[in-house]
Amino acid sequence: MSACSIQTPEASNSPLSSTVPATDRTPTCDFSIYGMRVRSPLRLSGWPTLPEGPAPDITIVREAIPTPVVEGAPHSARSLVEDGEVRVGVRGVARYRATGGTVIHVDPEPSARPEDVQLYLTGAMMGAIFHQRGVFPLHASCVVMEGQAVALAGPSGAGKSTLMVALVRHGAGFVSDDICVLSPLAGARFGVLPSLARAKLDLASLASLNHGGQDLESAGGDRGKFHVPVRTLDVPGEPPPLNAIFLLRDGEGDPRIERLQGLEAVAALVEETYFLRYVVALGLAAPCFRHAGAVARKVRVARLVRPRGFDHLPLLVDLIGTGARQV
């Protein structure tokens, strides 16, 4: 029996109609993401469903959340961190609360689009949950090449997802987009846990990849991005081991790779931690630094410096392919 089989008349009216207050009658579904079981009354588009099973790692609950109140334009956001709890308000979308590394509370606005509610749930709130659990994901997209994972890290708008899709088109396998969650492997190495098999791209990125953008699902938010399905490689067993992390940086001249070592590599990884401000506010700077140090000791870290834009995509694909093999 599927965990999604519970139905009520209200649950069939709209994508968010199943988000009624959590009670024994609330329809829920179990989903899989980053190797975890997530139980939710929201219909999470694109998330693989799981059959009915054990207790979830993360539970999503619909409830009234009074704060934070957010002023300004739609999608303006405000976060509060207190006593280990993370609260986020997004104007015109929802208020969220992450507690204990196990529960995400959500209070959607009546007129909110489902894709907007899901965007912040999948992003900022999952980031908060990871930090509460003592996991420090990178703000990175990731592919697997010749059995080894390669991460592309950088701030929003750096081109991580575009370059990742270009690599997949040249034979790499998709692992994750935007959030790179590491899992310990034998020998003090790290594997990368898979996310949803899709990337978020805007129209300019789609054009650079010769993709017309027709019939794509909105990724939510106010940046005009769409979900683009990507090809994965069926690799059984443990997550692919992380071999290299390339930090995308703007710079003049020919694209180039600059190796980082020691404290410089550790500091760079700390800066690329997903939602680093939550780390600081939660008082987790020391364990985050130790985690970055452990990663830097086992993984090649380098800057990938290139002029901003899409003119050098083919060259960047070749550079990454060559650089990833230089262990």
Side-chain angles (χ1 to χ4, degrees):
M1 179 179 178
S2 169
C4 305
S5 62
I6 303 174
Q7 297 292 329
T8 65
E10 294 80 10
S12 62
N13 292 334
S14 75
L16 282 180
S17 61
S18 61
T19 57
V20 295
T23 68
D24 290 342
R25 295 172 57 85
T26 302
T28 61
C29 188
D30 281 14
F31 299 90
S32 174
I33 189 169
Y34 301 116
M36 297 186 296
R37 179 180 289 266
V38 180
R39 185 161 296 164
S40 173
L42 294 120
R43 299 179 187 175
L44 300 172
S45 175
W47 289 36
T49 58
L50 293 172
E52 196 169 16
D57 301 290
I58 298 172
T59 302
I60 297 172
V61 177
R62 166 86 181 256
E63 68 173 13
I65 303 173
T67 59
V69 176
V70 185
E71 302 294 336
H75 294 278
S76 298
R78 182 186 175 201
S79 60
L80 299 172
V81 180
E82 187 176 13
D83 296 329
E85 177 179 289
V86 178
R87 294 191 180 211
V88 176
V90 185
R91 178 81 168 173
V93 178
R95 283 175 292 276
Y96 306 86
R97 188 163 65 101
T99 58
T102 59
V103 183
I104 300 175
H105 314 255
V106 58
D107 183 11
E109 296 287 348
S111 60
R113 299 185 303 171
E115 60 266 32
D116 290 339
V117 176
Q118 183 170 330
L119 172 67
Y120 297 97
L121 179 67
T122 308
M125 299 318 296
M126 285 298 292
I129 286 289
F130 282 129
H131 294 321
Q132 290 172 342
R133 295 172 76 93
V135 177
F136 302 102
L138 293 173
H139 194 183
S141 297
C142 184
V143 298
V144 60
M145 306 171 68
E146 300 179 2
Q148 303 284 316
V150 176
L152 311 169
S156 297
K160 301 183 295 296
S161 299
T162 307
L163 183 52
M164 178 269 292
V165 173
L167 287 164
V168 169
R169 287 190 169 190
H170 283 77
F174 171 84
V175 180
S176 66
D177 181 43
D178 203 44
I179 304 178
C180 185
V181 181
L182 306 186
S183 176
L185 298 178
R189 300 192 70 189
F190 293 89
V192 182
L193 296 172
S195 71
L196 309 180
R198 61 189 190 183
K200 296 194 294 290
L201 299 178
D202 61 19
L203 291 177
S205 294
L206 290 168
S208 73
L209 297 165
N210 296 316
H211 193 303
Q214 296 87 355
D215 302 321
L216 293 177
E217 175 188 339
S218 169
D222 58 355
R223 297 182 180 179
K225 292 190 175 185
F226 299 88
H227 288 305
V228 179
V230 287
R231 179 179 65 91
T232 62
L233 295 182
D234 186 14
V235 181
E238 63 186 13
L242 183 60
N243 178 56
I245 301 171
F246 294 101
L247 314 172
L248 303 188
R249 297 292 184 264
D250 296 342
E252 298 299 324
D254 294 333
R256 59 197 180 274
I257 291 174
E258 300 173 349
R259 180 75 183 267
L260 302 181
Q261 299 188 59
L263 187 58
E264 188 178 20
V266 175
L269 294 182
V270 170
E271 288 297 319
E272 297 299 342
T273 301
Y274 189 75
F275 273 89
L276 180 60
R277 63 179 179 271
Y278 291 165
V279 173
V280 176
L282 289 167
L284 299 173
C288 179
F289 190 88
R290 288 195 296 269
H291 179 265
V295 174
R297 284 193 293 272
K298 290 293 182 178
V299 177
R300 185 169 185 263
V301 181
R303 296 189 194 95
L304 178 57
V305 184
R306 78 281 183 264
R308 182 173 287 267
F310 306 111
D311 294 339
H312 299 282
L313 269 180
L315 178 56
L316 295 178
V317 168
D318 291 340
L319 272 176
I320 290 172
T322 301
R325 290 188 289 269
Q326 297 175 353
V327 180

